[in-house]
Amino acid sequence: MPIHADITLHVNGEEHRLNVDTRASLLDVLREDLGLTGSKKGCDHGQCGACTVVLNGRRANACLALAVAHDGATVVTVEGLADDGQLSPVQQAFIDNDAFQCGYCTPGQLCSATAVLDEAARGWPSAVTADMASEPALDDTEIRERMSGNLCRCGAYVGIVAALREAAGEPNEAAADPRAAARRIQEGARA
């Protein structure tokens, strides 16, 4: 017999008091109980990133998070990124840079990208940050590393990297030298 528990979640600025199955993932609660279907169930194993949300200010795979373990948490889903009907800078940059194709992974990509910008602004290094003492620059290598947990089966990675650079206010390497950018992409695909 399933065990249920009362929890409170603060989702996209609204408080929700819920009685959930203790086995339910945060993703299932968001989709099934709250009707927020933007976050997608891709692999259901935490490997694709389609379910990425911002959980207490950090990126999280909602499919791996038990809802009961996050009682009182603040969650931002793709539905909560826009501000009063205005697209966030990341959402607008994705549109401007054609950073999606089928759109299935896009909600997770957008939530992850939003958190990437916040992490970089806070000075958090990644595995490829060259100088741990200085603020990380969001170049193509840094963006690829930080977004590596979000897969796109359509291959919209070039647009995603360009969108993050634009949203971060960084110059776009591909626009400056498209041949060099194409070579780096090909070399990365072979590695």
Side-chain angles (χ1 to χ4, degrees):
M1 178 161 202
I3 299 171
H4 285 75
D6 293 325
I7 65 168
T8 301
L9 294 174
H10 304 276
V11 183
N12 300 331
E14 293 183 24
E15 182 177 282
H16 298 275
R17 295 179 186 278
L18 304 157
N19 183 268
V20 299
D21 186 322
T22 56
R23 301 167 297 174
S25 70
L26 179 59
L27 177 62
D28 289 336
V29 168
L30 291 171
R31 290 180 60 81
E32 296 170 18
D33 296 340
L34 299 180
L36 297 170
T37 58
S39 302
K40 304 298 185 220
K41 186 177 278 196
C43 66
D44 211 21
H45 294 288
Q47 296 174 345
C48 73
C51 66
T52 304
V53 297
V54 181
L55 178 62
N56 292 328
R58 300 199 58 178
R59 294 182 274 174
N61 290 330
C63 72
L64 296 181
L66 286 175
V68 294
H70 297 287
D71 183 22
T74 300
V75 180
V76 178
T77 67
V78 70
E79 293 93 345
L81 294 179
D83 186 23
D84 198 26
Q86 291 291 102
L87 295 177
S88 74
V90 172
Q91 290 172 309
Q92 188 61 56
F94 265 61
I95 291 169
D96 294 344
N97 289 279
D98 201 20
F100 50 88
Q101 289 182 33
C102 81
Y104 196 83
C105 72
T106 304
Q109 299 276 3
L110 287 166
C111 286
S112 190
T114 299
V116 161
L117 294 177
D118 184 56
E119 292 166 7
R122 292 178 187 210
W124 295 358
S126 77
V128 298
T129 302
D131 182 3
M132 301 294 244
S134 66
E135 189 171 312
L138 286 180
D139 60 15
D140 289 0
T141 302
E142 190 76 36
I143 291 169
R144 284 188 193 102
E145 169 63 24
R146 290 174 185 262
M147 292 294 293
S148 65
N150 292 83
L151 304 179
C152 173
R153 290 181 177 218
C154 299
Y157 297 116
V158 173
I160 292 167
V161 170
L164 260 86
R165 289 182 71 91
E166 179 180 305
E170 297 286 334
N172 189 339
E173 290 177 14
D177 187 355
R179 288 187 181 139
R183 278 193 302 276
R184 281 192 297 280
I185 291 165
Q186 289 172 344
E187 290 166 4
R190 282 183 251 155

